[in-house]
Amino acid sequence: MKSSPVTENQPGPQLGHRLAALQSISLRGAWQISAKGCSLVLFCSIPVHTIFDSCPEGNGIEAIAITRDAKYLATISDAEIQEVCIWRWTLAVETPACTLNLLKEYGVQNYLTFNPANNKELVSNSKTQAIYYLWVKGDLLAHSAPRLTEKTFNKLVGKFSQSVFHLNLTQILSATMEGKLVVWDIHRPPSSASASAGFPQIKPCKLVHLQKEGLTVLTTVDRYIVTGDIRGNIKFYDRTLSIVNWYSNFKLSSIRTLSFSKTPAAPPTEKSNYPPDCTLKGDLFIVRNLIIGTSDATVYHLTADGTKLEKLFVEPKDAICAISCHPYQPLIAIGSFCGMIKVWDYEEKKYLFSRVFEKGLGVQSLTYNPEGALLGAGFTEGTVYILDAMSLENQIPEPFKYSRTSVTHISFSHDSQYMATADMYFTVAVYMVVVRNGHRVWEYLARLRSHRKSIRSLLFGVHLDSNEPRLLSLGRDRLLIEYNLLKSCRDNLEILDIHRTDQGNYPTCMVWYPPLTKELFLLICNSGYKVKLFNSTTKMCR
């Protein structure tokens, strides 16, 4: 990522949902704060402070925000009764300066931000409720949460997405998935008034229908109010909510985050290529560079001068379900349900190359062959690919399609002459290398529905008295099955023997025990938290 667009506006918790295991993340200048579980970690290139057990009663952090001067940190817990906390993290204390428990009727508050001009004011929202907070004195955190219904404006409001303080700082704006903005007036008591004079209140005063498309992002930068929507459009408004300019020709997915550079936009020169805005004057539209995150897990950098959009990187947008390490190089292949395979160098922490398969093909299983030259990939709709490990290009003319459901396991024999797969219909399929016209090609051999319940492991091994491969499968039906590869032929997968591994518990996984002795063992774990050793020849438990 380029060094220039250090964020000034908080991207909100959505970015955290795109990072593995992180529940929330927020950026402020050189500071980055991440939330994992119930721990808060503050970074400035390296971790400088960690707050442990920030929400011991909950499952982690739902939303997080930091003030513009980076002095205070605010969190909302992910618990049944959500707790709002403000932390004086620079004092290295382990307890919050103030806390507030929210009512269940407020809904799950999933977005939080500070007033950029006042560290004592915050706003958060759930899908149905916006809340204004004021840190009054000491450990007192007052709040105002007026209920908003369709009768408030006699119009459909829609579900809230994000809320921010208006540029005039006397109002709050809440964006909705109906393309509308709710404008709230802030009524603050005089600073000289005592606590008994009452706390600040917010009241809904206006509903502005900006567009048809749902608003997913709402933020401010310099003199603009900025929105992002589900159609990938980014629009800029002045303080009266009049449109100034927009970006709509990039064909982006739904906008999830907008993060503007900390560096102000450079004044125009003769070489500048800023576009004109859409006002009658047609002034140059000068705005800071920004980072754009979209719902398809793609991150872009937009250079305002010249309107140049650059794709920085693409991450899996769905669950990662497959992972495989290269047998001798520091490479790791990762596959996700969205059909993407990415290969990383885990020593250099560097992304190398990737491939995105056609829509409908979700990666379910991945395995390198023993030489590391091939990568077997099984997909959710039953397709099996054999790929070149270094380019991810197809190594077979057409993918195999002998399964009718998700391919859950792939395994190669020690000499890479055989490949076996298992699917969710309890079926084992075997493929082998043959010589055709002087070329080695992969062909389908046979398949067999050998189990009555899901297959938990699929392993190749080597016979003790020869160098011939052997194939074993282990199912939740407690059966350990070995196949006779030598006697198998086209469409006929022979079984060598069947053994029951448990009586009550069911097996969960199986691996080869290291060859420390002349006797070979299979190591099998079961649902009763037991680990068993089985002689690989007799299948007797040791």
Side-chain angles (χ1 to χ4, degrees), residues 408-445:
T408 56
H409 297 78
I410 294 183
S411 183
F412 286 93
S413 63
H414 72 288
D415 55 5
S416 296
Q417 295 298 302
Y418 289 92
M419 181 184 73
T421 66
D423 62 33
M424 292 185 68
Y425 282 167
F426 327 136
T427 301
V428 172
V430 178
Y431 308 84
M432 65 182 298
V433 174
V434 297
V435 178
R436 301 284 188 208
N437 300 322
H439 297 283
R440 291 162 51 87
V441 296
W442 284 92
E443 285 191 355
Y444 165 77
L445 177 63

Side-chain angles (χ1 to χ4, degrees), residues 444-448 484 487-494:
Y444 165 77
L445 177 63
R447 61 194 298 265
L448 179 67
N484 194 331
K487 291 187 177 180
S488 297
C489 58
R490 179 78 179 190
D491 295 325
N492 184 26
L493 182 59
E494 292 282 345

Side-chain angles (χ1 to χ4, degrees), residues 408-410 422-424 426-428 450-459 472-481 483 501-502 505-511 523-527:
T408 56
H409 297 78
I410 294 183
D423 62 33
M424 292 185 68
F426 327 136
T427 301
V428 172
S450 50
H451 290 272
R452 299 191 300 271
K453 293 184 178 180
S454 61
I455 296 173
R456 310 313 297 258
S457 291
L458 185 68
L459 292 179
L472 303 99
S473 64
L474 179 69
R476 201 176 186 277
D477 54 6
R478 305 176 181 84
L479 298 181
L480 173 61
I481 300 177
Y483 303 86
T501 61
D502 280 280
N505 299 309
Y506 59 85
T508 56
C509 58
M510 172 178 67
V511 295
L523 187 67
I524 297 178
C525 300
N526 67 19
S527 59

Side-chain angles (χ1 to χ4, degrees), residues 315-322 334-342 361-364 366 379-380:
E315 292 296 326
K317 62 181 178 180
D318 291 325
I320 292 174
C321 295
I334 300 172
S336 81
F337 265 177
C338 67
M340 174 184 286
I341 298 177
K342 296 192 75 170
L361 291 179
V363 182
Q364 179 69 60
L366 287 175
F379 290 81
T380 51

Side-chain angles (χ1 to χ4, degrees), residues 318-424:
D318 291 325
I320 292 174
C321 295
I323 188 169
S324 180
C325 285
H326 196 278
Y328 59 87
Q329 292 185 11
L331 305 180
I332 187 169
I334 300 172
S336 81
F337 265 177
C338 67
M340 174 184 286
I341 298 177
K342 296 192 75 170
V343 178
W344 293 77
D345 184 319
Y346 56 78
E347 286 185 351
E348 298 291 335
K349 308 295 189 298
K350 184 171 64 175
Y351 155 72
L352 299 179
F353 46 87
S354 64
R355 178 177 175 182
V356 179
F357 291 81
E358 62 189 68
K359 190 175 182 180
L361 291 179
V363 182
Q364 179 69 60
S365 51
L366 287 175
T367 302
Y368 283 101
N369 75 328
E371 292 81 24
L374 302 176
L375 181 65
F379 290 81
T380 51
E381 41 69 75
T383 303
V384 175
Y385 280 77
I386 300 178
L387 308 172
D388 181 273
M390 293 296 108
S391 66
L392 300 184
E393 296 295 328
N394 293 358
Q395 290 298 289
I396 51 178
E398 293 291 335
F400 296 117
K401 187 64 175 8
Y402 291 94
S403 295
R404 291 176 294 171
T405 186
S406 184
V407 177
T408 56
H409 297 78
I410 294 183
S411 183
F412 286 93
S413 63
H414 72 288
D415 55 5
S416 296
Q417 295 298 302
Y418 289 92
M419 181 184 73
T421 66
D423 62 33
M424 292 185 68

